[in-house]
Amino acid sequence: MSARPNFEAKANAVRGFQKTDRQLVGHVPTIAITPVADGRTGAYEGNAAGTWKIAEKVYDLISNNVRLPDGTPVRVVVAPEIVYGARTGALAQKYYTEQGVGANIWVSRSWSYSDELMSAAMGIGSSEWIQAAYGLNQTDRPGAVWLKAFTAAMDEKKRPIFCIYSPDLENDQEPFSDYVSTRLLRFARCAAAALEMRGKNYLSVGSVSMGIIGSDVRRNMMLDYLGMGSVSVDMVAVKGRMDRGLYDHEELEKAVAFMKKFKMDFGAGKRPQSNDDLLRDCCKMTLIVRDLMVGNPRLADPAVGKAQGFKADVEFAQGNNAIAAGTQGQRQWTDLHPNFDLTESVLNSSFDWNGFRAPYIVATENDSKNGIGMLIANLLTGGMPQLFADIRTNWTPESIKAATGVNVSKIIPRGIIDKRNSGAGALDYAIDLPGLAKKSCAGNAACVWNTIRKDAKLQQKLIADSIKGTEYMAAILEYFPGDGLSSHYRTPGGIPMTSYRFNAVGEKLTCSVVEGETVELPAKVADHISRVTNSTWPESYWMPRGMTSFEYMSKIGPNHDANSFGLIGADMITLCAMLRIPVDMHNIDAADIFRPTMWDRF
Ligand code: MN
């Protein structure tokens, strides 16, 4: 029995900013491994060691490879003993509930009482648990018989289950084949992503930008599909903190000094404020949006407040435990104040004045439905920064020939999309990020990001190259009367890049995901496109695989998509299956599609 709380002590406690291990507050996503076997005496003993061996391999595979964006490894727990009947199943269920398990992988190399194990233990646990089953492909130990019986039982109970079975015969003393490890890791990455966002929030800074439907935050949709809450603050909250000086003034000086490392073009003619004031305002806005998202203990500290000239406030210091956010910006704010290009570009990057760190997900124009995609892709890749884009122009080789006289039909036979967002883009997209990892990850973004995360030298190079490749350029006052500093760079070509978009149809969500690659155009062509569009914005030219850019342009939903270096289409499709989100367009090979068995019954 738990001890009776000391209510008097609670009543008399002075509230403060509670320190936590991780910046975002929440239980670390936890995946259980449940070995099952035939309970008959003799059969059990004959299988026990081999069954635990499989469980051990699954444990090591997931523990060594699946990370959350802040670097925390996903938690993996294992059943107290092999589950072979109702009572051992109940023991596992009790343990998992205490451990806060959110996903479960059943593993077996033999027959077991498939339906009874799951039904006696309520399918082990909660209907919210995300489940997979792996059965060994062998002759004397036919995991397949159990696997098919078990997944059929799950289907009949309408519990989605992901089924993993090697096409080729396996030796369970050897490491998993690529096929099996790919599917186990895909399941684990997607389950971790689904669990990590549950119970956290989308922070809407402002409301709808210029009539863009994506920025209409649909609270129930966030909750129903993602298990996420939503918090709204009016944009005046940002102004209020700027005016009252409610930010860390020491950090502001650090930020301003850091941003001066970038090339800067403050524009010509009469500007709304001095160059220095503009840069300082953009940095203040960055600190404030971040503090609104994740909180800042310094703002609760009376000593810091006294030294820096603000009134410390525990409530304001809390933030909103926001795992993603969006800033409205246009128009009412930008008619008067600097735009959020510097804020979004820095927060979405993997670094700032405090060094290498997890990106904060911030959607331009508060396009929350694009923010959802950025959050999901960031989680699936274990923390890779994401690129918010405007789907600005479809360029065919014919249009380029007509405009510049240059024949690019060999470089871009299927055409390109100019993905120039209106001023903000994660700075990591100024460089060939997968190339930096130098390791053969075959387009696997999680592998690229794990490599960079472990290597401080690579991180230093990432930061130095991104700074070198970027110029901050003053906003066009016609669009942004309050000025602003746009992140301008040109993404290198030949890099695998996946585009995705979440769409709302009534109260339902759908997802589009298309893999392709970035394109390096001849300088004359790229310069022309830049000149006739807007040469202060981040430039990324992209060609889809297996379809023309025009097909993409025609079928993609809204005016924005988001993009991830690497090929993440198969992961995105698996995650959408976990979240019950239909995929309305994709270009992923049928062999790479991994969905619950129930999918095939429809
Ligand atoms: Mn836009």
Side-chain angles (χ1 to χ4, degrees):
M1 210 173 85
S2 53
R4 187 175 187 277
N6 185 340
F7 290 100
E8 196 184 334
K10 284 182 179 294
N12 291 328
V14 177
R15 68 176 177 169
F17 189 98
Q18 299 280 339
K19 289 247 160 61
T20 49
D21 295 343
R22 304 172 65 202
Q23 198 171 40
L24 285 166
V25 180
H27 185 60
V28 177
T30 303
I31 300 175
I33 300 171
T34 309
V36 298
D38 192 328
R40 282 171 285 199
T41 302
Y44 176 92
E45 283 71 20
N47 271 311
T51 305
W52 278 119
K53 179 75 191 165
I54 295 174
E56 184 183 3
K57 287 197 293 181
V58 176
Y59 184 96
D60 289 343
L61 182 72
I62 295 174
S63 313
N64 292 334
N65 290 289
V66 183
R67 293 280 180 285
L68 300 166
D70 66 359
T72 306
V74 66
R75 284 181 79 228
V76 189
V77 299
V78 175
E81 62 178 301
I82 291 175
V83 171
Y84 57 88
R87 192 163 189 277
T88 46
L91 288 169
Q93 184 197 326
K94 176 175 182 290
Y95 176 64
Y96 294 170
T97 304
E98 289 160 358
Q99 291 294 315
V101 161
N104 176 34
I105 304 175
W106 307 74
V107 298
S108 182
R109 67 198 294 276
S110 66
W111 175 250
S112 71
Y113 285 24
S114 44
D115 178 56
E116 290 184 6
L117 293 191
M118 64 147 310
S119 57
M122 297 193 299
I124 287 200
S126 156
S127 61
E128 296 205 341
W129 291 3
I130 305 163
Q131 309 224 42
Y134 162 74
L136 181 72
N137 182 351
Q138 262 295 348
T139 49
D140 60 328
R141 304 293 184 196
V145 183
W146 163 76
L147 189 63
K148 297 306 281 182
F150 182 60
T151 55
M154 291 291 264
D155 287 351
E156 191 165 322
K157 291 180 169 59
K158 296 201 270 188
R159 291 285 182 89
I161 186 150
F162 291 82
C163 175
I164 301 165
Y165 183 71
S166 167
D168 302 311
L169 285 170
E170 295 174 283
N171 177 346
D172 57 355
Q173 295 306 307
E174 287 177 0
F176 290 125
S177 66
D178 276 354
Y179 181 93
V180 170
S181 60
T182 296
R183 295 211 157 194
L184 284 167
L185 286 176
R186 179 158 296 142
F187 174 83
R189 280 196 298 270
C190 292
L195 299 172
E196 175 69 353
M197 61 185 139
R198 244 181 227 175
K200 300 196 176 67
N201 298 303
Y202 179 88
L203 175 67
S204 172
V205 182
S207 61
V208 176
S209 172
M210 301 186 296
I212 295 169
I213 193 68
S215 40
D216 178 23
V217 179
R218 304 311 300 263
R219 291 171 166 244
N220 289 355
M221 199 185 281
M222 292 264 186
L223 180 63
D224 292 346
Y225 283 103
L226 312 177
M228 282 175 59
S230 315
V231 184
S232 292
V233 295
D234 193 280
M235 297 223 68
V236 80
V238 177
K239 190 71 172 71
R241 288 186 182 218
M242 288 169 80
D243 290 351
R244 285 179 298 159
L246 191 63
Y247 46 83
D248 185 338
H249 294 243
E250 274 175 31
E251 190 182 3
L252 177 68
E253 296 311 320
K254 209 170 151 187
V256 171
F258 177 83
M259 292 312 294
K260 285 181 177 167
K261 292 181 180 181
F262 288 83
K263 289 187 286 288
M264 292 271 172
D265 175 354
F266 286 98
K270 188 174 154 34
R271 313 295 299 190
Q273 57 184 342
S274 75
N275 298 347
D276 196 53
D277 285 348
L278 173 63
L279 179 59
R280 293 181 79 79
D281 272 3
C282 291
C283 289
K284 283 179 203 171
M285 289 155 59
T286 307
L287 300 185
I288 290 167
V289 170
R290 183 205 57 195
D291 292 350
L292 285 168
M293 287 179 76
V294 299
N296 186 344
R298 304 265 289 169
L299 307 184
D301 187 334
V304 175
K306 188 154 184 260
Q308 299 191 358
F310 64 79
K311 189 169 182 297
D313 187 296
V314 175
E315 186 205 4
F316 288 139
Q318 298 292 319
N320 293 288
N321 207 38
I323 196 169
T327 52
Q328 178 199 337
Q330 297 185 83
R331 274 206 26 222
Q332 293 79 8
W333 174 277
T334 52
D335 285 351
L336 301 165
H337 306 295
N339 66 32
F340 284 82
D341 290 350
L342 186 146
T343 296
E344 291 165 19
S345 59
V346 169
L347 290 179
N348 278 308
S349 299
S350 66
F351 64 90
D352 60 20
W353 37 90
N354 296 318
F356 186 80
R357 47 119 177 105
Y360 299 90
I361 302 300
V362 185
T364 301
E365 290 153 2
N366 198 23
D367 188 339
S368 53
K369 287 145 208 163
N370 214 29
I372 287 171
M374 294 168 79
L375 167 62
I376 286 172
N378 173 251
L379 291 167
L380 288 177
T381 56
M384 186 177 278
Q386 301 296 312
L387 178 69
F388 188 104
D390 270 304
I391 300 169
R392 191 158 297 278
T393 310
N394 181 62
W395 285 90
T396 56
E398 292 74 23
S399 306
I400 289 173
K401 180 94 203 285
T404 66
V406 181
N407 182 355
V408 291
S409 58
K410 287 230 169 61
I411 309 172
I412 51 157
R414 298 184 299 284
I416 52 158
I417 304 283
D418 177 3
K419 298 217 178 195
R420 192 180 306 251
N421 189 23
S422 54
L427 305 174
D428 306 68
Y429 284 78
I431 64 167
D432 177 0
L433 193 71
L436 199 63
K438 277 203 188 81
K439 187 178 151 187
S440 169
C441 284
N444 183 320
C447 166
V448 168
W449 199 245
N450 270 335
T451 307
I452 292 172
R453 194 209 317 284
K454 284 184 214 151
D455 191 329
K457 280 222 176 84
L458 288 184
Q459 294 160 16
Q460 283 165 10
K461 184 159 167 54
L462 182 164
I463 295 169
D465 290 357
S466 300
I467 292 173
K468 213 166 89 186
T470 305
E471 179 172 12
Y472 274 95
M473 301 182 79
I476 292 174
L477 296 178
E478 179 189 340
Y479 282 167
F480 300 103
D483 214 339
L485 289 166
S486 299
S487 50
H488 170 67
Y489 53 75
R490 190 172 287 172
T491 304
I495 310 170
M497 188 164 92
T498 306
S499 302
Y500 50 85
R501 170 73 208 196
F502 283 75
N503 311 288
V505 181
E507 298 305 314
K508 306 280 186 205
L509 267 184
T510 73
C511 169
S512 315
V513 58
V514 174
E515 294 180 346
E517 63 172 21
T518 62
V519 170
E520 183 179 342
L521 293 167
K524 185 183 173 190
V525 174
D527 292 348
H528 173 84
I529 293 178
S530 198
R531 198 164 51 243
V532 297
T533 312
N534 182 314
S535 53
T536 70
W537 292 345
E539 301 174 4
S540 308
Y541 305 116
W542 174 83
M543 178 167 63
R545 184 185 68 226
M547 68 169 78
T548 65
S549 60
F550 183 64
E551 283 175 275
Y552 181 82
M553 172 64 97
S554 304
K555 289 182 184 169
I556 196 74
N559 49 318
H560 296 144
D561 68 11
N563 303 271
S564 180
F565 277 145
L567 302 176
I568 63 165
D571 276 11
M572 191 72 95
I573 288 172
T574 294
L575 182 77
C576 283
M578 287 177 180
L579 300 175
R580 279 75 157 171
I581 297 171
V583 176
D584 58 35
M585 166 169 67
H586 74 79
N587 64 346
I588 307 307
D589 283 351
D592 294 327
I593 291 179
F594 183 37
R595 285 171 165 146
T597 52
M598 204 190 300
W599 198 277
D600 299 318
R601 303 282 77 78
F602 293 96

